[in-house]
């Protein structure tokens, strides 16, 4: 019960904080309280949609409390950014991102535990996924798990890995070198492909995916040691992300 509720909350968090929030909104809410309120409202909508077929008064109150806590955490983060006089604040941005997400995840965990402890409601993900994807001939729980996994290995993985690698970025890649945003899309497709290979137990084929990715950057890897290390870190983090996510969800 607690795990099911936590997975639903995590789904709402991922959609609300990563997919319904653009880069422009993420920057605007640091200076604009109205932007912060709009983001929090969309976050609440995402949580409520996650409960669409099992909604109860308790779950609605949980969603409302989480939207408020989300707004408070983001507001505190924006206040820190505004008040920081140190010009190295940009260098601390990755840490702020992780502290922010950790605080949100702790709130999700506490909310799930409180909701389960204070209510005798029974929650089933089967009704949610069957109502949404009844036309797919698959087990409803498997559908939910795959939706959650694919969302998790997309934008959340992209933003997290980018921040993890901030201090390792060699800053040598020309802005006009390659297709704009191609690297981000390659990373998403890489993680989705690895997830599918894990599902069919084709572990050896994962090596072929990583090899194909390396071929495109062979020249830079061979000529620039710093870029090679940066590239290897990114690849290993991306692979580790999808494997851990797959093991936790399935």
């Amino acid at each position: 019960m607690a795990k099911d509720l936590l997975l639903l909350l995590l789904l709402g968090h991922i959609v609300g904080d990563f997919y319904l929030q653009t880069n422009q909104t993420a920057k605007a809410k640091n200076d604009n309280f109205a932007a912060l309120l709009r983001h929090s409202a969309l976050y609440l909508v995402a949580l409520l949609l996650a409960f669409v077929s099992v909604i109860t008064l308790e779950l609605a109150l949980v969603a409302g409390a989480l939207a408020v806590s989300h707004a408070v955490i983001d507001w505190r983060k924006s206040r820190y950014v505004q008040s920081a006089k140190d010009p190295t604040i940009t260098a601390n941005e990755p840490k702020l991102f992780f502290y922010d997400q950790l605080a949100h995840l702790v709130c999700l965990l506490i909310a799930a535990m409180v909701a389960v402890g204070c209510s005798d409601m029974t929650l089933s993900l089967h009704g949610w996924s069957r109502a949404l994807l009844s036309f797919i001939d698959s087990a409803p729980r498997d559908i939910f798990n795959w939706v959650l996994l694919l969302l998790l290995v997309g934008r959340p993985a992209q933003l997290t890995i980018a921040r993890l690698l901030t201090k390792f970025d060699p800053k040598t890649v020309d802005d006009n070198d390659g297709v704009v945003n191609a690297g981000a899309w390659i990373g998403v497709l890489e993680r989705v492909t690895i997830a599918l290979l894990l599902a069919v137990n084709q572990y050896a084929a994962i090596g072929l995916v990583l090899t194909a990715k390396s071929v495109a950057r062979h020249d830079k890897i061979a000529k620039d040691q710093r870029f090679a290390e940066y590239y290897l870190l990114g690849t290993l983090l991306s692979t580790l992300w999808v494997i851990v996510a797959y093991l936790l969800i399935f």
Side-chain angles (χ1 to χ4, degrees), residues 24 36 155:
Q24 291 76 15
L36 174 61
R155 187 171 169 83

Side-chain angles (χ1 to χ4, degrees), residues 1 3-8 50-51 53-54 123-131 140-141 144-145 148:
M1 169 61 188
K3 181 181 178 181
D4 288 347
L5 180 56
L6 183 59
L7 288 177
L8 277 178
F51 298 134
S53 70
V54 292
L123 178 65
S124 171
L125 302 184
H126 294 263
W128 181 92
S129 52
R130 185 180 295 111
R141 180 57 184 262
F144 175 84
N145 287 343
L148 180 59

Side-chain angles (χ1 to χ4, degrees), residues 82-103:
Q82 290 173 356
S83 62
K85 304 299 182 181
D86 189 346
T88 61
I89 183 64
T90 302
N92 292 327
E93 198 276 338
K95 291 183 180 179
L96 290 177
F97 173 81
F98 288 111
Y99 292 152
D100 174 73
Q101 288 302 315
L102 179 60

Side-chain angles (χ1 to χ4, degrees), residues 18-230:
F18 290 94
Y19 289 95
L20 295 183
Q21 178 178 214
T22 64
N23 292 333
Q24 291 76 15
T25 300
K27 294 178 181 178
K29 68 182 183 182
N30 288 331
D31 305 309
N32 189 327
F33 190 70
L36 174 61
L37 290 179
R38 286 194 297 271
H39 168 61
S40 300
L42 287 175
Y43 187 81
L44 175 59
V45 170
L47 290 176
L48 292 176
L49 287 177
F51 298 134
V52 64
S53 70
V54 292
I55 192 68
T56 64
L57 177 59
E58 291 93 339
L59 290 179
L61 291 175
V62 167
L66 283 172
V68 172
S69 69
H70 191 92
V72 171
I73 292 171
D74 281 5
W75 176 76
R76 289 299 301 164
K77 177 184 175 183
S78 66
R79 293 289 294 176
Y80 174 78
V81 171
Q82 290 173 356
S83 62
K85 304 299 182 181
D86 189 346
T88 61
I89 183 64
T90 302
N92 292 327
E93 198 276 338
K95 291 183 180 179
L96 290 177
F97 173 81
F98 288 111
Y99 292 152
D100 174 73
Q101 288 302 315
L102 179 60
H104 292 319
L105 292 177
V106 169
C107 288
L108 295 181
L109 180 59
I110 293 175
M113 295 174 63
V114 170
V116 172
C118 296
S119 174
D120 58 356
M121 61 185 175
T122 57
L123 178 65
S124 171
L125 302 184
H126 294 263
W128 181 92
S129 52
R130 185 180 295 111
L132 185 63
L133 299 168
S134 59
F135 61 91
I136 297 180
D137 184 19
S138 179
R141 180 57 184 262
D142 287 340
I143 295 173
F144 175 84
N145 287 343
W146 272 105
V147 169
L148 180 59
L149 179 64
L150 292 178
L151 288 174
L152 189 58
V153 302
R155 187 171 169 83
Q158 174 192 337
L159 294 177
T160 303
I161 292 171
R163 283 162 173 78
L164 276 172
L165 296 179
T166 298
K167 65 178 182 179
F168 300 104
D169 191 344
K171 307 295 184 184
T172 58
V173 180
D174 188 349
D175 289 339
N176 295 320
D177 185 17
V179 181
V180 177
N181 292 328
W185 279 106
I186 290 173
V188 172
L189 292 174
E190 169 198 342
R191 291 185 290 274
V192 170
T193 303
I194 291 176
L196 293 173
L197 292 174
L198 288 172
V200 295
N201 300 320
Q202 293 297 320
Y203 309 120
I206 294 175
L208 298 177
V209 176
L210 302 181
T211 300
K213 180 184 175 184
S214 300
V215 169
R217 292 291 189 179
H218 177 267
D219 288 343
K220 285 186 174 295
I221 292 173
K223 297 176 182 178
D224 189 336
Q225 179 66 22
R226 292 185 63 195
F227 178 83
E229 293 173 353
Y230 174 77

Side-chain angles (χ1 to χ4, degrees), residues 228-239:
E229 293 173 353
Y230 174 77
Y231 178 87
L232 180 59
L233 279 171
T235 299
L236 292 177
L237 282 171
S238 181
T239 305

